């Protein structure tokens, strides 16, 4: 059983082709968000959205 394809490393997919539409950038860290560029208002990436939720929950 000397099958070279068994242990072959898969070739990663082209990420730019799978990226889809251009995404809006986070207003805090400038990372891409899950929202398209056409989204109005202050867009946050998932990390910043989670941190903002924690801050507002603890500011009570």
């Amino acid at each position: 059983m000397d099958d070279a394809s068994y242990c072959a490393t898969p070739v990663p997919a082209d990420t730019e082709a799978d990226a889809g539409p251009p995404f809006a950038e986070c207003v805090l860290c400038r990372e891409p968000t899950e929202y398209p560029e056409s989204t109005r208002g202050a867009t946050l990436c998932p990390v910043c959205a989670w941190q903002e939720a924690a801050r507002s929950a603890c500011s009570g």
Side-chain angles (χ1 to χ4, degrees), residues 5-46:
S5 66
Y6 179 76
C7 295
T9 304
V11 177
D14 185 16
T15 54
E16 287 191 29
D18 296 334
F23 294 101
E25 62 182 31
C26 177
V27 295
L28 298 177
C29 68
R30 304 183 61 89
E31 290 292 318
T33 65
E34 299 172 336
Y35 306 104
E37 280 185 343
S38 61
T39 302
R40 297 174 58 107
T43 54
L44 297 175
C45 70

Side-chain angles (χ1 to χ4, degrees), residues 28 44-57:
L28 298 177
L44 297 175
C45 70
V47 173
C48 290
W50 182 80
Q51 290 173 344
E52 283 293 313
R55 282 188 205 108
S56 65

